[in-house]
Structures are given as C-alpha cells and as structure tokens.
Amino acid sequence: MNSPVVIHWFRQDLRLSDNPAFSEACRTGEVLPLYILNDGEENARALGGASKNWLHHSLKALDASLNGHLLILKGDPCEIFEQLVRKLPINSVFWNRCYEPWRIKQDVRLKSALKENGVATKSFNGTLLWEPWEIKKPGGDPYKVFTPFYRKGCLQAPEPRKPLPSPETVQLHSANVQEALSVDELGLLDSRLWSLRISEYWQHGEQAAQNRLYAFLEEGLNDYKEGRNFPALHHTSRLSPHLHFGEISPNQIWWALSMHEETQDTDHFRSELGWREFSYSLLFQNPSLPTKNLNPKFDTFPWLADDKRLLAWQIGQTGVPIVDAGMRELWQTGYMHNRLRMITGSFLVKNLLLDWRAGEKWFWDCLVDADLANNSASWQWIAGCGADAAPYFRIFNPVLQGEKFDAQGHYTRHYLPELKNLPEKYLFKPWEAPEDILKSAGVSLGENYPFPIVDLKRSREEALRALEKTK
C-alpha cells in the first residue's frame, strides 16, 4: 500500500523558511510540494507582464531549493485537486492564506470539496503580520485611517510571531503526474527586450531576498526616514517584490529590525510594513477596492478620456522631466522609487485629469512588486478617493519635487540622457531655458525631448475646478 501523501500548496509563499504551512506539512509526513498557475480564473486579476517575469525566476529558485521536486500544474485548483485525490493517496493539504477576493472564495470551495473526499485541510497566515480581521477599533469596526490603525491597532496587538526556521527534516514525494509542467513550459517570460532587461536587473528567490534584507539593514536603514525621499540614494529596501511573492516573510523583516537600535529610522521602516497591513485590511473589508472609489463622491468626478495623454505618461514623454524619469525607471527596471510613484501618480490624476484606474492598470502590468492590495490602496490614496487619502487639492508641483529631491539631477539624468547636459537650474523645467542654453546642452524641444503636454499652472487650476463639480 502506498504511503499517505501530504501536499503543501505553494502560492504567494515561495520560500522554505518561516513558511508555517510547509513546516506543518513536513511534520505531518511525506510532502508533495505543488504550485498551480491559475491565471484565467473568473473574476481574478490576471498577472501583469513584470509579475510573470518575476514568477518565472522565483519558481526556478524554489524548485532548485526542493531538489527539483516541485510539481507544477496549470488550471483551476479545485479541478486539479479533484484529479490528484483520485490518482494519489493524499490525506491532507496545507497552504498559506491569500487575501485577494477571488482566492478567499476559492479556498472556501476547495476546503469543502476536499473534506467531502476525506482529505484534511489546514490554512495558515504566512503572508501578514496580523490577520486583516484582527486589527479593529475597540468597538469592532475596521480602521479607516492609517495612523490609528498602526499605532493603536497593530502596535497594541500581540507581537507578530517569531520566524520559523527551515524544516530540519524534509521528506519529499515525487509524483508521476502526466500533466506536470516545467517552469519554462508555463510560458511566463515575455519575448520583448524589456523582459530581458528586467530579468538582469534583479536577483530572485529566497536567498536573494535574505541577501537584500541584510544589505539594506547594513547600508540603507541608517537615515532611512529622510533618505527614502531621494531617488538617487540607496535608502529604500527594494524588498517589495520579494515580499509580494513570499520569498521573504514580513515576520522575518520585522524581527530582523529588532537586532538594530530602536531609532526613528527603524520605527519608520516598520510603519511601512504597517501600511502594507493597512492595505490588506482595506482590501479585505472592501473587495471592490481595485475598481471602485472608496469615497463615493468621486464617482461623479469628470475624468478625461485621452489616450494620447495616457500614452505620453506611460512611455515617459510628457515633457516634465521628473515625471518622465520615474516612468522610464518603471519601464526599464520593473520598479519605481516610492517618491516617484507619488509624483507620477499625482501628475496623472491631477495634471492630466486621467482616471486613477488607468494608472493602477499600467503599474499592475509593469511593476515586479504589483500587489493588488498595495497598488489599489496607494492609487486611491494619491487620487484623493481612498481611505486616509491625500486631499485631491494637494497637488504635487513636479518641478519643485525634482528640485527638492533630486537637486543635483543624478536620478533624472540617468533616465533622461537627452537632458544630461542641462544645468540644474533648467533640468526640471527645460521649457524655461534660453535657446542658447538648450543648444549648448544638445536639447531641441519638440525634437529630442517634448514640450510639456500640459501647462502645470493651468492644469492645476483645471483640476481644482473639476473637484468643485463633485461637491
């Protein structure tokens, strides 16, 4: 008689250490590690191109850490598990919970179906510091403002659990499943040049995530609170894609910080993990967060439908240098510095008057850290229609933002080489430069760099008039 098989279903937890479901599976018996690509589920958000790229490399790293035992299948998880139960002596299935609305519904269906087949199931929290339903006001209502959510909710709650080590003993099961695929056969890599460029920019997998964490703690944490605002400096952790795919857990980051002296920098970095928790709480309480304004008054906002403006923003050809630099960083690396996410987002919804959902969709496709909760909550924040949002009337001036946070122009010149010879005085407003300055810098507006597609002052006034129409 065949020995019972325990399945650990990998999802957004592509690691072996501090993986509660995987650890429990290893304690239970012989483990069949499984990954299912289900990119066409009803009501699900299909993976963006940059996410597919990251997933390809992350699965390669995970399979290597499992000595090639990762079973990879493609299709509907409920149907796949039904087939596996018929073929294999499966007695239990373990997984870590996901919080996207369609995955919550899927998990409920799957647990019921497996139970009917006599298969035990158990899910764990391997993704968040606290469950979304745990952090509430004293009266039981969810928080709608970040600071009390984090300071009064999270920091007054029981401490996050300490990270688990990798299991000492792992007995892996090799299943001969006809439908099994290799990572390459999933077809996740894009043949376009940008995909190759992104692949070369990052290191992927659990070990790379650990290396990134400790490099940040040694090199970037000091002066993080202020330094994180300057895109040319190295004070951001760049852990977000590793977190999204679960190559590292938030618990591992939280407790690694405890090895450092408590300062404004460690507190502020922890609060960034708190914003991630807040975003997941918002998504859990508001499943329509990616598509529907949390503030209903914005349902009547007169967004423009202008494909030319949108395309210019997407490709970094708006004629506003700091905006274009951010958008080109995104296209070239699959990432954008957080300060630039705010600047480019504000420019889209307030200077171009384009719907925040168009920006959210573009970021979803281009960001390697595209996360449904974070992406949706952050776009609603910058558009003024979300929870604890920046007021819509607070409009970033991209010229002043560039002059303040990239004063020497290192970041902007890197991504806009056509402007590299412009002096700082005109780098962020080349349209004000005298003709002789432009000529000596090799800049020809309208030819090798565009004129601004909107007048900043006038577009700001138009945005405020549009806001009045919602009142």
Side-chain angles (χ1 to χ4, degrees), residues 220-230 233 235 263 265:
L221 181 59
N222 187 42
D223 199 35
Y224 172 79
K225 185 176 180 181
E226 293 301 322
R228 64 187 289 274
N229 286 305
F230 298 88
L233 302 181
H235 287 286
T263 64
D265 297 315

Side-chain angles (χ1 to χ4, degrees), residues 29-41:
E30 195 171 273
V31 179
L32 173 59
L34 171 68
Y35 182 85
I36 301 172
L37 179 66
N38 182 27
D39 205 23
E41 184 182 353

Side-chain angles (χ1 to χ4, degrees), residues 130 134-136 149-160:
W130 297 274
E134 291 177 343
I135 306 300
K136 292 183 178 181
F149 169 86
Y150 180 62
R151 298 292 175 187
K152 295 182 179 180
C154 297
L155 295 186
Q156 301 304 314
E159 276 193 309

Side-chain angles (χ1 to χ4, degrees), residues 317 418 435 442-451:
Q317 289 287 340
E418 62 268 45
E435 190 59 39
V443 177
S444 179
L445 295 180
E447 294 184 13
N448 64 354
Y449 189 71
F451 287 102

